[in-house]
Amino acid sequence: MFYSGMALLFLAIVSLIWLIAAFVRKTNKKIPGIVFALSLIGFLIIVTITGTTSEPANQNTTPSELLSDSSSSSATTSQTESEIAKKNDEKLKAEFDIHNDGNYVDATGAEVITNDDGSIKYVQLNVNSNWKYLSEDEQKQYIQLLKDISDPFKDGETYPYMQIQSEGELVAVSGVQDTSLVTIKKE
């Protein structure tokens, strides 16, 4: 809007000079008069619109104070996001401790990754290198453990994305369409 207003003001000045030249030369004054009137009216409209929609600056506020206010609000936002992530981590640790009753000796821990908006990106169960030596039924028990620890993070009836990691590789992942369906990746 600022640049539009400046362009209209420039056009008004140029057309005013054109209009004055038309009076001096005694030529047609209609076109420069119309251009001057329209550009002046357009400029006044732009000034009126921007004057009512923009907040007046506080005269007592220095630019550094304005800058610190914006940085403190972003710091507050990131602090809130980290608090949500910490709460999710605590909730997952509690669930892992409840459900890992000694039957899951190969489970080494779990992670929950939280998006910036507070939603869950994924829940991951970490398993040691014995995963590849477990039978399919034992692997399914670990998948059930993953579902159990992911249960508090469900959105209604929908599980978050879930995965099992062993030795830095994903060995089981939930489906994209149906996150409740966790499939074992074959080597």
Side-chain angles (χ1 to χ4, degrees), residues 41-60:
I41 291 170
F43 174 73
L44 292 175
I45 290 172
I46 296 267
V47 168
T48 305
I49 290 172
T50 57
T52 58
T53 58
S54 64
E55 291 183 19
N58 185 352
Q59 299 299 328
N60 299 327

Side-chain angles (χ1 to χ4, degrees), residues 123-187:
V123 177
Q124 176 175 299
L125 177 65
N126 297 318
V127 181
N128 64 23
S129 61
N130 289 340
W131 173 265
K132 57 188 164 197
Y133 302 115
L134 297 175
S135 69
E136 193 171 316
D137 288 338
E138 291 171 321
Q139 289 176 347
K140 287 181 181 179
Q141 289 175 350
Y142 281 90
I143 290 172
Q144 186 58 49
L145 173 63
L146 176 62
K147 287 182 178 182
D148 290 342
I149 64 174
S150 299
D151 195 57
F153 303 106
K154 285 171 52 174
D155 183 15
E157 292 298 315
T158 306
Y159 280 97
Y161 184 77
M162 300 176 289
Q163 59 192 33
I164 298 177
Q165 183 175 6
S166 174
E167 294 182 308
E169 292 184 31
L170 295 178
V171 293
V173 293
S174 61
V176 176
Q177 297 289 333
D178 183 6
T179 54
S180 66
L181 178 63
V182 179
T183 57
I184 299 169
K185 295 177 86 176
K186 303 294 181 190
E187 293 180 33

Side-chain angles (χ1 to χ4, degrees), residues 85-104:
K86 284 180 186 177
K87 287 180 183 178
N88 287 338
D89 288 337
E90 291 170 3
K91 190 186 304 185
L92 181 66
K93 183 182 179 329
E95 287 296 315
F96 183 75
D97 291 343
I98 290 169
H99 293 287
N100 188 12
D101 53 5
N103 292 331
Y104 303 100

Side-chain angles (χ1 to χ4, degrees), residues 21-83:
F23 273 109
V24 171
R25 291 185 189 175
K26 297 185 184 206
T27 60
N28 186 3
K29 298 161 203 68
K30 186 175 182 181
I31 294 176
I34 291 173
V35 172
F36 175 71
L38 290 177
S39 60
L40 190 61
I41 291 170
F43 174 73
L44 292 175
I45 290 172
I46 296 267
V47 168
T48 305
I49 290 172
T50 57
T52 58
T53 58
S54 64
E55 291 183 19
N58 185 352
Q59 299 299 328
N60 299 327
T61 306
T62 62
S64 62
E65 288 173 342
L66 289 172
L67 192 66
S68 68
D69 286 346
S70 66
S71 64
S72 67
S73 69
S74 66
T76 304
T77 303
S78 63
Q79 182 181 7
T80 304
E81 291 169 358
S82 67
E83 287 175 7

